[in-house]
Amino acid sequence: MDTLYNPDGVEERWQQAWEAEGLYNADPDAPGEPYCIALPPPNVTGELHMGHALNASIQDLLIRWHRMRGFNVLWQPGYDHAGIATQNVIEKELAKESLTRHDLGRDAFVARTWEWLELYGGIILGQLRRLGASLDYRRERMTMDEAYVRAVLRWFVHLYDKGWLYRANRIVNWCPRCESAISDLEVNHIEEDDTLTWIRYPLADGSGHLTIATVRPSTMLADTGVAVNPADDRYRDLVGKEAIVPIVERRVPIIADERVEMEFGTGALKITPGHDPMDFEIGRDHGLEELTVIGLDARMNEAAGEFAGLTQEEANERIVARLGEQGLLEKQEPYRHAVGHCDRCGTRIEPLVTLQWWCDMKELAAPAIEAVRDRRTRFFPDRYTDVYLNWMEKIRPWCVSRQLWWGHRIPVWYCPDGHITAAEEQPGACGECGSTELTQDEDVLDTWFSSALWPFATLGWPEQTPELETWYPNDVSSTDRGIIFLWEARMQMAGIELMGEIPFPGINIHSTINAPDGRRMSKSLGTGINPLDTVDEYGADATRYGLLKMSSTQDVRFNVGMIEEGRKLANKLWNVARLILSNAADARPAAEPRDVEERWILARLDATRELLEESWGRFEFAPAVNALYRVTFDDFCDWYAEAIKPRFQDPADTVVRSTALAALERLLILLHPVMPHVTEEIWSQLPTRQTRLIVRPWLEADPRFAADAAALQRVQEAAVMFRRSGVLPPLDEDEQRILQAVERRQVAADGDPTVEIERLRKEIQRAEGMLGNERFVERAPADVVEAEREKLARYRRELEALTG
RNA sequence: GGGCGUGUAGCUCAGCGGGAGAGCGCCCGCUUCACACGCGGGAGGUCACUGGUUCGAUCCCAGUCACGCCCACCA
């Protein structure tokens, strides 16, 4: 007889049934308090990875739990068009055919991207289905859907009208490979070995020179100043004079600026406003010219004269050699420092001055800071509150334009005179001069500009839909800590600005699952583990269980053992259900429990219910999952099931049957949010079932068991007190039997005198040690000391009795 | 440079002021009529290190070391 629970087939069957029966469907007009989570939209190009699977397990647990609690739930699915990421994927596809996007042209490229999405775009939601995710799949949204695009345009024009969006020529993070600007958050700073070169800049008046240190000699061709700290005595006399930039022989002013660190290098800094962010700001403040010698391809451009066309490395080499010849090279030293790289493709970032759209964040941030500060929005775990606040309080303008083709085209039109008209629909004429010769901005918006609207644009905004009315604000946002700034912060800002209300009161930041060796899970490192493989091997329930157990608040290493544990739990549950069903197939519910075991297990299950509610309410999942394992194995199977088994021999004992059924029901209900499939499968075989388990109301504290729960509580407290002080408070007969059950291992060990003798000897030694400590006797609370004395005396008596 | 987190049994992790725990692995015994993805028993830890607070510290405080992550315009 096959006695193993096999999830194959069972899980798919229920997934199809739940969806087909409309049990995932959300209805804004349905009764119940609304509860809504918007699935963090995965990239359209994405496949399910461990992070997605963990987050889906968490969200589905919350959704199923609230559905059972009678809330009107919506779990909103969808995708992000993921501008830069998707464009990169398509470009790679093209590269296989030796094509670039420029070979196709913009329209064909975008058309091809849409085609590609038709074929491969929708896979991740299908994969979520296989995990049992109870999303309302009918409501799938994408950030480039027609309706969503309207929301994005509204957002843009809104910000433009407020004067917070503007176009400016500024230094940006330029990725030469993506051929686009990117925002500060999309730059990774990576430590690299470099060379620090010390170069002499002659003074214009011939009175000598001053030495600067740089890691990028090639940029000196665009130097338009030299700066020193105003407090630096070494250079005080030079401020206001001029230096000559070697090679280009340019006379540049020597200026004083506090941003120059006196301790670094020589304390003198060459200023290249065109190619360095800090130099750019110093340059603007001092009115220095912004020259450009590096092009969008990161190579030296025509302005670099004889160095034009070279890579920067080549230019560095030649320039250093030239300086050596001229006697202006002082020294070179190895130097290690952090260098910016494109988060998307890893290419070294080039700071360049280009014309981009910027969003001023100060006024958007202020109310979003307040919301978190006064706890209308709370982070779980709480430590991320400071992470968020620190970033928000020093927020800087956001570069929102991208020189990409895939994304929301910036809704701005220019007339020949350069007037700007921003509008949701193509305007007929320039808003300023009435010219009808309008051309639209070529650029697209940062992907995160649109995903900031996710909690309400998916509900139909800017239309005033029933969905929006019902489910905004959402209730929880669950994400990885990697996108707290990119996404969470921006949803707060957009939600408050456009909806006048925070998007959700709870932000759950889940753990990061690393590879078993502790490295990051990544496809390119080959350290990735596909959650669908564990679903195939162990089942979706087991996978969900394992992931939730790994969802403690810090980083964890992926451990199949946790998923195997989940499989064990499913199997155990399946088997104990078989035991009960084979004996109680026609039992009727609602009988009063008779014996202490029965009342005890019902009270235990109720205590577990309370623990689940408390920890799930705090977004702590691992302890709850652990409690479910313990209550199933230790309490339900090892103790309760074993205890009632003999009573099944008595056909007249209807109480044991109906109680067993009731206890099993309760166990299934508690386990359902974690392991929906196996519980529903068992549920479907119960003679007592009336609805699907997925919509079966969650447990309330049952007054019938309140007394027993209270008794259990008393017994457990008594047991703790007994262990600590040796004093056992008075218990009635039933409570004493419950105590025996609680302490059953101890009781079992009583059979073996050598074990007991050893234990008593240890206890006596410990008690003697404590009582021999004068400070303990003098300073510890009197009742504790007294208890210890009584305990010692009792242990001695017991030992005496055992050893004779 | 600033901030956060982590260091507990061979492995992965719970616990966080008075008995040091789980799963896996390991050893011994069980095809006991729900379950060998099982049942019973067992070995295995100066709870990273150093100080402090306390009658008492794995747990609180300070510092040290190691690892990880986030933020960052010292060229």
Side-chain angles (χ1 to χ4, degrees):
Chain A
M1 179 164 56
D2 184 14
T3 50
L4 292 184
Y5 168 63
N6 182 4
D8 286 351
V10 173
E11 295 184 341
E12 286 93 330
R13 200 172 72 236
W14 284 114
Q15 286 153 13
Q16 284 162 17
W18 288 325
E19 200 174 336
E21 290 170 18
L23 300 175
Y24 291 169
N25 293 354
D27 173 2
D29 298 323
E33 198 179 322
Y35 184 85
C36 175
I37 301 176
L39 178 81
N43 290 358
V44 272
T45 57
E47 285 193 26
L48 195 72
H49 64 236
M50 272 309 158
H52 292 130
L54 167 63
N55 203 6
S57 301
I58 287 172
Q59 293 168 73
D60 194 49
L61 181 152
L62 292 170
I63 286 290
R64 284 178 186 270
W65 181 41
H66 280 86
R67 190 184 283 121
M68 293 171 93
R69 290 172 75 198
F71 284 76
N72 182 16
V73 301
L74 166 62
W75 190 12
Q76 170 68 49
Y79 290 103
D80 196 307
H81 70 283
I84 195 166
T86 305
Q87 176 156 331
N88 282 354
V89 168
I90 305 300
E91 283 179 340
K92 269 183 199 150
E93 290 292 308
L94 289 177
K96 286 181 195 160
E97 304 162 36
S98 303
L99 292 171
T100 69
R101 65 180 161 122
H102 301 287
D103 293 328
L104 267 70
R106 183 165 188 156
D107 290 346
F109 180 85
V110 170
R112 173 139 180 171
T113 306
W114 279 112
E115 268 170 40
W116 196 88
L117 292 183
E118 290 280 310
L119 286 174
Y120 305 104
I123 55 180
I124 201 166
L125 287 184
Q127 295 177 324
L128 282 173
R129 277 186 171 91
R130 189 55 193 90
L131 203 63
S134 57
L135 292 146
D136 185 351
Y137 294 94
R138 303 167 310 161
R139 295 175 179 273
E140 179 180 327
R141 297 286 181 275
M142 205 270 268
T143 51
M144 280 182 46
D145 287 348
E146 211 185 319
Y148 204 107
V149 168
R150 278 199 296 276
V152 174
L153 299 181
R154 175 73 54 91
W155 174 221
F156 186 99
V157 173
H158 174 92
L159 290 169
Y160 180 82
D161 289 345
K162 284 251 183 178
W164 298 341
L165 265 180
Y166 52 88
R167 203 175 188 218
N169 227 344
R170 278 195 196 158
I171 200 147
V172 292
N173 307 299
W174 180 265
C175 174
R177 202 223 57 86
C178 299
E179 299 179 304
S180 176
I182 59 176
S183 74
D184 294 340
L185 288 174
E186 293 163 297
V187 177
N188 285 328
H189 295 88
I190 301 171
E191 289 264 305
E192 278 184 6
D193 287 315
D194 218 324
T195 304
L196 191 59
T197 303
W198 305 58
I199 304 167
R200 290 177 178 160
Y201 281 27
L203 296 171
D205 61 9
S207 65
H209 65 264
L210 94 179
T211 305
I212 58 88
T214 180
V215 289
R216 303 181 67 194
S218 56
T219 63
M220 69 186 287
L221 305 177
D223 279 2
T224 53
V226 172
V228 299
N229 193 293
D232 196 332
D233 292 335
R234 294 171 294 180
Y235 301 112
R236 184 155 292 159
D237 297 342
L238 297 182
V239 174
K241 293 188 173 177
E242 286 183 317
I244 295 174
V245 181
I247 300 180
V248 290
E249 304 288 326
R250 181 182 305 122
R251 291 169 73 107
V252 300
I254 299 171
I255 59 175
D257 193 289
E258 284 162 355
R259 283 164 282 195
V260 180
E261 297 289 333
M262 292 191 280
E263 294 75 29
F264 189 90
T266 62
L269 172 65
K270 71 193 235 359
I271 301 296
T272 320
H275 296 297
D276 179 277
M278 184 169 84
D279 293 7
F280 177 81
E281 297 203 350
I282 293 178
R284 286 254 158 134
D285 290 348
H286 291 82
L288 301 180
E289 197 180 351
E290 289 153 19
L291 300 179
T292 300
V293 292
I294 295 166
L296 298 180
D297 58 357
R299 298 173 86 96
M300 306 307 291
N301 70 8
E302 313 76 52
E306 61 181 300
F307 304 102
L310 298 181
T311 65
Q312 292 177 54
E313 290 71 27
E314 291 164 348
N316 282 341
E317 227 169 273
R318 292 215 204 165
I319 286 169
V320 166
R322 179 76 58 79
L323 291 168
E325 288 160 19
Q326 298 180 354
L328 295 174
L329 179 66
E330 201 161 295
K331 60 174 174 178
Q332 288 194 291
E333 286 178 351
Y335 180 61
R336 196 170 169 77
H337 66 144
V339 180
H341 289 74
C342 175
D343 184 51
R344 196 43 63 183
C345 69
T347 304
R348 188 166 168 157
I349 289 304
E350 200 58 57
L352 288 177
V353 178
T354 57
L355 191 55
Q356 303 287 348
W357 280 93
W358 295 83
C359 185
D360 211 347
M361 305 303 287
K362 284 272 185 279
E363 293 192 58
L364 284 169
I369 289 171
E370 280 318 300
V372 168
R373 211 178 257 152
D374 62 27
R375 312 230 128 204
R376 295 199 306 279
T377 304
R378 292 185 60 187
F379 279 87
F380 300 85
D382 188 47
R383 72 185 117 94
Y384 291 107
T385 302
D386 284 342
V387 174
Y388 169 94
L389 288 175
N390 289 342
W391 185 76
M392 289 289 275
E393 278 159 6
K394 53 175 193 194
I395 198 162
R396 296 192 294 169
W398 173 20
C399 176
V400 297
S401 49
R402 298 288 179 274
Q403 289 62 54
L404 304 171
W405 287 349
W406 177 244
H408 300 98
R409 186 114 173 233
I410 290 179
V412 162
W413 286 262
Y414 308 100
C415 74
D417 288 336
H419 298 142
I420 292 173
T421 306
E424 291 178 38
E425 302 196 9
Q426 173 144 19
C430 173
E432 261 179 76
C433 64
S435 163
T436 53
E437 276 181 66
L438 294 175
T439 50
Q440 187 174 1
D441 197 298
E442 293 292 326
D443 293 346
V444 301
L445 290 161
D446 182 2
T447 258
W448 300 101
F449 188 88
S450 50
S451 35
L453 312 180
W454 193 248
F456 47 95
T458 51
L459 300 177
W461 187 89
E463 302 306 319
Q464 202 41 252
T465 61
E467 282 81 3
L468 195 62
E469 181 65 33
T470 301
W471 287 300
Y472 191 91
N474 304 173
D475 290 85
V476 186
S477 175
S478 184
T479 57
D480 183 85
R481 59 167 186 261
I483 53 176
I484 290 175
F485 309 137
L486 285 166
W487 195 44
E488 294 295 348
R490 286 163 181 167
M491 282 191 287
Q492 287 294 315
M493 293 187 274
I496 293 171
E497 176 64 23
L498 294 175
M499 300 295 298
E501 223 178 328
I502 55 163
F504 31 72
I507 301 177
N508 175 54
I509 305 295
H510 66 250
S511 60
T512 301
I513 298 182
N514 290 317
D517 62 6
R519 288 189 296 167
R520 206 158 246 291
M521 261 203 199
S522 108
K523 229 185 228 174
S524 53
L525 286 174
T527 51
I529 295 171
N530 187 343
L532 291 175
D533 291 344
T534 73
V535 168
D536 284 342
E537 194 173 350
Y538 302 96
D541 287 335
T543 299
R544 293 162 60 112
Y545 173 96
L547 290 172
L548 287 168
K549 188 139 189 191
M550 286 183 251
S551 74
S552 49
T553 55
Q554 63 267 344
D555 296 5
V556 280
R557 296 176 182 214
F558 180 79
N559 182 0
V560 218
M562 300 289 185
I563 292 173
E564 285 170 351
E565 205 177 297
R567 179 177 60 176
K568 273 177 46 175
L569 179 57
N571 187 55
K572 192 72 174 174
L573 187 67
W574 174 251
N575 275 297
V576 79
R578 287 195 326 141
L579 170 71
I580 291 173
L581 284 171
S582 65
N583 284 289
D586 51 359
R588 307 228 319 253
E592 288 300 324
R594 190 186 68 195
D595 287 357
V596 66
E597 300 95 314
E598 304 180 316
R599 303 203 337 258
W600 180 80
I601 190 63
L602 291 166
R604 277 296 298 135
L605 288 165
D606 196 56
T608 305
R609 188 211 89 237
E610 251 178 74
L611 184 145
L612 297 184
E613 289 174 354
E614 275 177 33
S615 52
W616 288 348
R618 289 194 302 265
F619 304 107
E620 289 168 11
F621 305 102
V625 155
N626 201 44
L628 284 169
Y629 186 91
R630 295 261 72 91
V631 79
T632 306
F633 267 78
D634 298 351
D635 299 331
F636 199 94
C637 294
D638 289 359
W639 187 77
Y640 172 67
E642 294 298 339
I644 61 169
K645 235 195 257 185
R647 288 172 57 189
F648 286 144
Q649 303 303 323
D650 178 3
D653 192 342
T654 53
V655 171
V656 69
R657 290 175 168 77
S658 61
T659 310
L661 218 49
L664 178 61
E665 268 187 18
R666 284 174 162 69
L667 182 61
L668 292 172
I669 291 166
L670 297 179
L671 276 161
H672 181 260
V674 176
M675 309 187 98
H677 310 89
V678 67
T679 50
E680 184 79 87
E681 174 70 6
I682 296 169
W683 184 267
S684 71
Q685 297 168 28
L686 296 182
T688 49
R689 72 173 190 284
Q690 289 176 340
T691 61
R692 294 289 184 219
L693 180 54
I694 182 176
V695 289
R696 163 63 168 79
W698 183 248
L699 294 174
E700 300 292 331
D702 187 330
R704 286 184 304 162
F705 309 129
D708 299 303
L712 175 63
Q713 176 95 26
R714 274 200 301 282
V715 163
Q716 284 175 334
E717 281 166 8
V720 169
M721 194 180 299
F722 177 72
R723 285 191 212 113
R724 290 186 178 171
S725 66
V727 177
L728 190 63
L731 299 174
D732 68 27
E733 197 181 319
D734 271 353
E735 286 170 347
Q736 279 176 31
R737 293 178 60 190
I738 292 176
L739 176 66
Q740 284 204 336
V742 170
E743 302 283 292
R744 62 196 178 284
R745 287 198 186 82
Q746 213 73 24
V747 173
D750 282 347
D752 183 348
T754 56
V755 171
E756 186 61 8
I757 287 168
E758 193 49 40
R759 188 181 71 87
L760 286 169
R761 287 203 170 122
K762 272 190 189 167
E763 293 291 357
I764 289 170
Q765 198 178 1
R766 187 171 142 271
E768 282 176 345
M770 283 177 82
L771 289 165
N773 179 341
E774 280 176 31
R775 303 183 78 182
F776 170 71
V777 176
E778 282 167 22
R779 302 204 202 175
D783 58 325
V784 172
V785 177
E786 191 47 39
E788 202 61 34
R789 285 216 177 88
E790 281 173 21
K791 203 156 111 180
L792 179 59
R794 190 167 44 76
Y795 287 148
R796 281 178 173 151
R797 277 200 309 278
E798 285 177 17
L799 185 62
E800 186 72 13
L802 277 172
T803 57

